[in-house]
C-alpha cells in the first residue's frame, strides 16, 4: 500500500519539492521501517518463549500503519 501510494502520489515528478513533500516521504519511509521490523521482532530468538516478542511486533505494526496513514493525510491536506 505504501509503495503504491508513493508511486501515484508523485514522488517522481520533476517539480521542486516543498517542505510538506519531504515530510510525506520521511513518514512513509519510517512506516516502511516499522513494518519491516515486525518480522524481525517476531522471529528473533529469545531464551524462553514469551509474549514480549508479540507485544513488540504488534506495536511496530501499529506504528507503521499510523505513520503510513499520517503521511497520506499530510499529502492530501494542502
Amino acid at each position: 500500500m505504501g509503495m503504491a501510494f508513493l508511486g501515484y502520489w508523485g514522488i517522481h515528478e520533476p517539480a521542486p519539492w516543498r517542505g510538506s513533500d519531504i515530510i510525506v516521504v520521511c513518514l512513509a519511509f519510517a512506516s516502511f521501517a516499522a513494518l519491516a521490523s515486525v518480522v524481525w521482532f517476531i522471529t528473533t530468538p529469545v531464551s524462553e518463549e514469551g509474549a514480549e516478542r508479540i507485544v513488540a511486533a504488534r506495536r511496530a505494526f501499529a506504528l507503521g500503519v499510523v505513520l503510513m496513514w499520517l503521511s497520506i493525510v499530510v499529502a492530501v491536506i494542502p
Side-chain angles (χ1 to χ4, degrees):
M1 181 176 118
M3 291 305 290
F5 160 67
L6 286 178
Y8 286 115
W9 171 65
I11 195 169
H12 300 291
E13 291 182 1
W17 284 23
R18 299 173 300 180
S20 63
D21 297 337
I22 295 170
I23 292 171
V24 168
V25 170
C26 288
L27 286 172
F29 285 160
S31 76
F32 294 156
L35 291 171
S37 69
V38 170
V39 176
W40 182 75
F41 283 137
I42 205 67
T43 59
T44 301
V46 292
S47 59
E48 57 184 66
E49 199 66 31
E52 69 269 2
R53 295 183 326 173
I54 295 172
V55 171
R58 286 179 179 168
R59 288 182 180 160
F61 181 77
L63 178 66
V65 170
V66 167
L67 287 173
M68 180 52 64
W69 279 108
L70 188 60
S71 70
I72 292 170
V73 167
V74 170
V76 171
I77 297 174

